[in-house]
Amino acid sequence: MGETISRSVPVEQPHRRTGEPPTGSLVSYVLPVYDEQDGLRRFHRELVAATETRPDFEYEFIYVNDGSADGSLTILRELAEADSRVRVLDFARNFGHQIAITAGLDHAEGDAVVVMDTDLQDPPAVSVQMIDEWARGAEIVSARRRTRRDTRFKRLTAHSYYRLLHGLAEVDIPVDTGDFRLLDRRAAEELRGFRERSRFIRGLVASMGFAQTEVLFDRDERAAGETKYPLRKMVRLAADGVTGFSTAPLKMITRIGFLSLALAALGILYAVVMRVFLPEVTVSGWTMIMVVMLFLGGVQMLSLGVIGSYVGRIYDEVRQRPLYIVRKVIRHDEH
Ligand code: UDP
Ligand code: MG
C-alpha cells in the first residue's frame, strides 16, 4: 500500500469533543461489498492488521453484502466464522453502494464508525489515521485523495464533477473526498436520521456540521476485480449529488422564464411598431401572431419557473431532513 498519509488539515473546528475516548471504546467499520470475491480475504487481513496497531480500542466489522452474484457471501460467512467481531448483513438484491452504507450505519454500535470500500482503494492504514484524529477530538474525519490511480476518464470526470458540485451545492461538500469517512457516535446517530431515498451520503455528512477534519491520502488502484460503478451508476450518483444539494437547475428555469418574457416584450414592441409605422412591409396577420406567440411563450416559461419553485419546496419538505442538529445540551450542573 506504500506511504499514504502525510498530514491532516483541520477544516474548521468550532468545537471539539472534550477528553480522549476511553480505552476499550468500540470502533465500527461499515464495509459495503459487491462482487469482491477476489480481493475480500486480503482486504480483511489488511484491515485487521491495521487495527492491531491501535489495540487500545475494540472493533466490529460490519460487512454489507449488496446482492453480490459471485462468491463474496461465502467468503464473508467464513470471515464471520473465524472472527467474532465480523457481522454480515446480506441484502436480498443489489441496492447500491449508498444504501449499503446506510444499512451498515444503521447497525453500527460503535463510539466511532468508519465507512470504507472493500477493494483496498481506501487503505486500511488511513482508517487508523482517522481513528487517531478522532481520538484527538475530531467528530468527522474525511479522507481526501491527494492523488488517485484510476482510468484517465474516471480521474477527469471525477475532478471536474467535484468542482462543479462544489460550485453549485448549497452546503460545502469537500472536493476529492468519497465516502471514506469516520463519524463520531453523535454524528453517526444524526446521519441515521436522514431517510431520503436518493442519497448522496458525502453531501448529507457535509450538511451536518460538527468538527470536521481531513486526512490526505494517495488512492491506490483496485486490488482485484473491476469497478462496480459503471457509467450508469456514476451518472445517477452524480445527479443525486446535484439535485440533492442544489436548486440551481430549478433556478435556471425561472431565470430563463424572466429572460424570455423580457425578450418577448421587446418582440411584441417591435411587431406593434412595425404594424403602426411601416404597415406596408408587414404581412397581414403577422403582428397578431407574433404578439400572441411571444406573450404565451414568455408567460409559459415564467409559469414553469413558478411551478418549479413550489416543486423545489415540496422536494425540500418530503426529504424530511432534520431541521437542526444539537450536539449537546449543557446544563448548569454538568459540562
Ligand atoms: N459497492 C456496493 N454496491 C454497488 C456498487 C459498489 O456495495 O452497487 C461497493 C464495492 O464493493 C466497493 C465500494 O462499494 O466496496 C466502491 O465501489 P467501487 O470500488 O466499484 O467504486 P469505485 O472505487 O470504482 O468508484
Ligand atoms: Mg473502488
Side-chain angles (χ1 to χ4, degrees):
M1 295 289 92
E3 246 314 286
T4 40
I5 319 99
S6 67
R7 70 197 167 99
S8 55
V9 196
V11 177
E12 53 182 57
Q13 33 186 228
H15 308 273
R16 307 215 105 196
R17 216 165 15 80
T18 43
E20 288 263 311
T23 301
S25 293
L26 180 67
V27 178
S28 308
Y29 276 86
V30 168
L31 308 161
V33 176
Y34 180 48
D35 289 355
E36 302 285 3
Q37 63 176 9
D38 299 327
L40 207 49
R41 283 198 187 86
R42 178 172 156 209
F43 169 79
H44 189 70
R45 232 179 9 250
E46 292 194 14
L47 180 60
V48 167
T51 54
E52 275 161 8
T53 61
R54 277 234 57 156
D56 45 336
F57 296 133
E58 303 283 326
Y59 297 93
E60 64 172 2
F61 305 106
I62 303 175
Y63 285 94
V64 183
N65 178 35
D66 185 12
S68 299
D70 66 355
S72 299
L73 183 62
T74 319
I75 297 171
L76 290 175
R77 277 185 207 281
E78 281 169 26
L79 295 180
E81 191 69 33
D83 186 342
S84 64
R85 302 168 300 174
V86 172
R87 245 192 299 166
V88 181
L89 306 180
D90 183 26
F91 274 3
R93 65 166 167 87
N94 179 252
F95 283 90
H97 182 210
Q98 302 286 302
I99 302 294
I101 293 175
T102 306
L105 271 165
D106 288 342
H107 285 78
E109 288 165 5
D111 301 295
V113 183
V114 179
V115 176
M116 70 190 286
D117 291 353
T118 50
D119 57 357
L120 284 170
Q121 281 197 296
D122 299 340
V126 177
S127 76
V128 178
Q129 287 276 317
M130 294 170 146
I131 295 172
D132 293 340
E133 283 296 316
W134 171 67
R136 272 183 234 130
E139 291 171 307
I140 296 176
V141 189
S142 316
R144 173 156 166 199
R145 305 185 266 261
R146 186 171 39 197
T147 59
R148 64 189 291 169
R149 277 198 255 151
D150 273 307
T151 60
R152 217 188 148 77
F153 175 73
K154 180 124 188 175
R155 284 202 318 255
L156 193 73
T157 48
H159 184 88
S160 4
Y161 175 68
Y162 281 118
R163 273 137 194 98
L164 172 80
L165 185 64
H166 193 77
L168 288 183
E170 280 130 30
V171 299
D172 203 0
I173 302 174
V175 295
D176 300 331
T177 57
D179 289 310
F180 187 13
R181 277 210 172 61
L182 178 144
L183 302 162
D184 178 60
R185 175 194 282 279
R186 285 286 304 118
E189 272 166 9
E190 293 299 339
L191 187 56
R192 274 176 216 129
F194 288 80
R195 299 318 289 181
E196 60 198 75
R197 289 175 166 268
S198 311
R199 31 186 56 231
F200 188 67
I201 292 176
R202 56 202 84 161
L204 298 179
V205 172
S207 75
M208 289 199 305
F210 289 110
Q212 308 216 3
T213 308
E214 284 178 350
V215 294
L216 289 172
F217 76 111
D218 297 307
R219 190 163 214 236
D220 285 310
E221 267 167 302
R222 232 175 194 281
E226 298 275 290
T227 174
K228 305 302 174 318
Y229 262 97
L231 194 60
R232 182 175 47 84
K233 279 188 185 169
M234 233 159 73
V235 169
R236 196 189 307 152
L237 182 70
D240 283 345
V242 173
T243 53
F245 293 92
S246 164
T247 47
L250 271 179
K251 288 195 187 116
M252 208 170 65
I253 300 181
T254 315
R255 276 195 212 118
I256 293 176
F258 276 115
L259 191 72
S260 54
L261 199 61
L263 289 179
L266 287 181
I268 289 169
L269 196 68
Y270 173 72
V272 171
V273 167
M274 290 294 276
R275 177 77 189 82
V276 173
F277 295 103
L278 292 170
E280 61 282 3
V281 299
T282 45
V283 183
S284 147
W286 177 80
T287 312
M288 191 60 184
I289 292 176
M290 283 303 279
V291 168
V292 170
M293 205 188 68
L294 288 171
F295 179 73
L296 282 184
V299 167
Q300 271 169 17
M301 280 311 285
L302 194 64
S303 314
L304 274 182
V306 172
I307 291 174
S309 66
Y310 282 95
V311 172
R313 277 162 180 271
I314 295 170
Y315 182 50
D316 248 359
E317 296 296 336
V318 296
R319 279 182 300 190
Q320 297 269 340
R321 286 187 184 164
L323 288 181
Y324 53 81
I325 294 175
V326 176
R327 175 187 278 114
K328 192 173 193 301
V329 178
I330 296 160
R331 287 177 218 282
H332 171 67
D333 47 355
E334 41 154 319
H335 294 285

